[in-house]
Amino acid sequence: MNTKLTQEQIEFYQENGYIIIEDFLTPDELQTWRRNVDDAVAQREGRVTADGMLASERIVDEESAYFDKVFVHRQNLWIDHAGMRELMWDPRLGKMISDLTGVDGMRIWHDQALIKQPWANPTGWHLDNASWSYSSRDAITIWVALDDATRENGCLYFLPGAHKTASFEHAGIGSNISDLFELYPQWAELQSVAASMKAGSCSFHNGLMPHGAGANMTPGTRRAMTCGYMPDGSTFNGKQSALPQAYFESLEIGDVLDNDAINPLIWHETKAYVGAKD
């Protein structure tokens, strides 16, 4: 795993809000990631719908019908799949994202498999951290390409530098892919950058970086594995997002989100963390 960063890469990330790391995984590591993701997703089959909800709890409307055709979405695979847990708890990832953001330690917020099936709809422009249960300008997401991600099959797009002027307002991901620009009209004049990458490469982006993905205009599948990370010490802001219901109901605004069973600490400069070796 290519986790060594140069100072120039760190500065590029902090200035632009994203960075692409070519050949992040070795060929053998890529096969391991593919195998574990495919197995973990298959393990969830029939239990949840495309947006990650239990089928019995889901209300189907026009917007959710559109979203079903954006991507297959499976969340927190690390919780019930040992192979995914080993990948997600890798302290090398925690150290890398801590170096990019300049924080002392990182926790997993949630992982997500995002699979664009053939002829899938585009993913609307959105901000990650604006919908999460904590608010931090140092939140960060990794996006690992398990298949080649191209302009034709739905690669990511970023608006370089826009994270600096983002607030924590959010438009959600709906059928109008430009809804976010109603909240941030100044971004509508910016030039987007396509994050095409070959399988085994990855990108990192700031939690307030506006990003989206194109439609899959091919008969093939585009698989990606992502994970959002929360700086250690982050506090609850009142939103539920991915928190389990009982835990959510136990929290008050301002409480520190330090439950290792829900948001494990995967690296810290001074504290013990789950991936540490004796």
Side-chain angles (χ1 to χ4, degrees):
M1 189 182 293
N2 178 18
T3 59
K4 293 183 179 179
L5 294 166
T6 66
Q7 185 59 36
E8 289 75 17
Q9 288 174 311
I10 293 172
E11 291 173 358
F12 181 94
Y13 170 82
Q14 293 178 353
E15 175 65 24
N16 293 281
Y18 79 96
I19 191 167
I20 296 171
I21 306 295
E22 302 288 356
D23 298 316
F24 176 65
L25 301 177
T26 67
D28 286 344
E29 288 171 335
L30 174 59
Q31 292 308 313
T32 297
W33 278 64
R34 284 172 167 169
R35 182 175 62 253
N36 280 296
V37 171
D38 287 347
D39 185 61
V41 169
Q43 182 175 289
R44 297 275 185 92
E45 195 64 33
R47 295 165 53 192
V48 292
T49 55
D51 56 3
M53 296 179 65
L54 291 172
S56 60
E57 297 176 350
R58 190 161 187 270
I59 298 173
V60 178
D61 55 20
E62 183 177 350
E63 184 167 304
S64 63
Y66 177 90
F67 192 82
D68 283 350
K69 299 297 184 181
V70 173
F71 45 54
V72 174
H73 165 213
R74 298 293 181 262
Q75 185 170 289
N76 278 337
L77 297 174
W78 71 266
I79 290 177
D80 55 6
H81 191 278
M84 291 306 305
R85 187 156 51 249
E86 184 175 353
L87 296 180
M88 293 297 101
W89 283 10
D90 193 323
R92 292 175 296 174
L93 278 177
K95 175 68 163 61
M96 189 177 190
I97 56 182
S98 297
D99 286 345
L100 282 170
T101 57
V103 304
D104 293 335
M106 280 286 182
R107 294 179 177 272
I108 290 177
W109 175 242
H110 64 63
D111 69 33
Q112 296 184 95
L114 300 177
I115 302 168
K116 273 197 181 292
Q117 295 180 311
W119 317 114
N121 291 327
T123 310
W125 287 94
H126 63 283
L127 309 175
D128 289 344
N129 185 241
S131 64
W132 293 348
S133 304
Y134 71 97
S135 301
S136 172
R137 304 199 76 86
D138 293 317
I140 187 171
T141 296
I142 186 175
W143 196 98
V144 181
L146 301 180
D147 301 302
D148 291 348
T150 68
R151 292 174 183 264
E152 291 76 24
N153 72 3
C155 72
L156 289 177
Y157 288 80
F158 299 118
L159 294 180
H163 65 299
K164 296 178 180 179
T165 57
S167 67
F168 295 97
E169 291 185 275
H170 190 40
I173 304 176
S175 56
N176 184 353
I177 67 171
S178 62
D179 279 346
L180 189 64
F181 300 122
E182 297 295 322
L183 292 177
Y184 301 94
Q186 69 274 25
W187 293 348
E189 303 301 319
L190 299 180
Q191 181 62 52
S192 66
V193 172
S196 300
M197 62 186 88
K198 63 183 180 180
S201 297
C202 79
S203 64
F204 295 89
H205 64 263
N206 184 279
L208 293 176
M209 163 56 62
H211 62 288
N216 186 354
M217 303 297 285
T218 77
T221 300
R222 188 229 68 190
R223 294 170 295 174
M225 186 63 205
T226 77
C227 190
Y229 299 97
M230 174 175 68
D232 185 45
S234 296
T235 58
F236 180 55
N237 63 12
K239 300 176 184 177
Q240 183 173 15
S241 188
L243 297 177
Q245 186 65 29
Y247 182 47
F248 169 71
E249 292 175 355
S250 75
L251 293 168
E252 296 184 0
I253 293 176
D255 285 349
V256 177
L257 297 171
D258 58 359
N259 187 320
D260 280 317
I262 296 169
N263 301 117
L265 183 67
I266 62 166
W267 186 84
H268 198 280
E269 189 172 336
T270 59
K271 296 180 182 179
Y273 50 89
V274 295
K277 304 296 182 183
D278 294 332

